[in-house]
Amino acid sequence: MLRVGLTGGIGAGKSEVSRLLASWGAVLVDADLIAREVVAPGTPGLAAVVAEFGEGVLRPDGALDRPALGAVVFSDPERLAALNAIVHPLVRDRSAELEAAAGPDDVVVQDVPLLAENGLAALYDLVVVVDAPDEVRLDRLVRLRGMSEEEARARMAAQAGREERLAVADVVIDNSGPLAGLEPQVRAVWERLRERAAAGR
């Protein structure tokens, strides 16, 4: 099994890269999806979030109001750290379960947005960073995701800087241009990962 850590700043295109890799056969462990799963209605994770942040982070249907919670944590490092202390251990445990179910020759891609921030690079055989300049990412967040510029900048500021992410990269995928240029790069990386997995890393 080849364990790959995939990361990239918000707006860099990491989700598209993980989608492509999964479509070609990678076992994808998506930390964002798992982070939603562990705070779904009725879970101990959601109960812990409400205990920490109050009923104001719930929607009327009892689900987590992610925009309301985001408004609290993304402008306050201490509150963000409190949220991470609840969610990260739950995500880590669920990720380990999914990885344990993979086969010995599989390429397991762990999609981890905060890989650099949390010093997790050493956990993987290889770290792939999806990179794009800050101004490109900002434009995507405002134009494609409908964020205000202020909100987009706050989200970006809550993550590691570009240099910090690139410092932990074994492979860098440049997604600064049009989407059409992304797939050939990812395909080439996938072939390398398959070769390494077949060779026993």
Side-chain angles (χ1 to χ4, degrees):
M1 180 191 302
L2 184 71
R3 302 179 72 250
V4 179
L6 174 68
T7 195
I10 186 170
K14 176 177 56 62
S15 296
E16 180 64 16
V17 171
S18 65
R19 185 191 68 76
L20 287 168
L21 292 172
S23 75
W24 296 326
V27 176
L28 180 63
V29 180
D30 186 330
D32 273 347
L33 288 179
I34 295 169
R36 291 175 182 272
E37 178 186 310
V38 299
V39 292
T43 60
L46 182 59
V49 170
V50 173
E52 177 68 33
F53 293 96
E55 300 280 340
V57 299
L58 288 179
R59 298 196 318 236
D61 65 0
L64 184 64
D65 186 333
R66 302 183 76 84
L69 181 60
V72 173
V73 302
F74 285 115
S75 58
D76 185 335
E78 288 187 8
R79 302 306 281 149
L80 181 60
L83 177 63
N84 289 342
I86 295 168
V87 175
H88 286 176
L90 298 172
V91 172
R92 185 175 59 242
D93 291 349
R94 179 61 178 143
S95 297
E97 288 177 16
L98 292 171
E99 183 178 298
D105 298 325
D106 281 331
V107 176
V108 176
V109 175
Q110 294 219 11
D111 183 330
V112 186
L114 301 179
L115 186 150
E117 291 84 341
N118 293 325
L120 303 177
L123 298 179
Y124 304 100
D125 301 316
L126 197 79
V127 173
V128 176
V129 172
V130 185
D131 182 55
D134 290 350
E135 61 271 20
V136 171
R137 295 165 51 217
L138 179 64
D139 174 68
R140 288 173 181 161
L141 294 175
V142 172
R143 187 167 46 85
L144 303 177
R145 295 203 198 175
M147 293 185 186
S148 68
E149 184 172 335
E150 182 181 19
E151 182 185 5
R153 289 188 184 279
R155 295 290 181 100
M156 290 169 64
Q159 297 183 336
R162 255 182 108 187
E163 295 306 315
E164 188 179 346
R165 266 190 301 276
L166 292 173
V168 301
D170 297 299
V171 176
V172 177
I173 294 174
D174 175 12
N175 190 29
S176 56
L179 195 58
L182 183 62
E183 184 169 341
Q185 288 188 75
V186 182
R187 173 68 78 174
V189 170
W190 172 243
E191 295 305 328
R192 286 177 58 185
L193 298 178
R194 290 294 304 146
E195 287 170 8
R196 282 192 59 169
R201 304 196 312 204

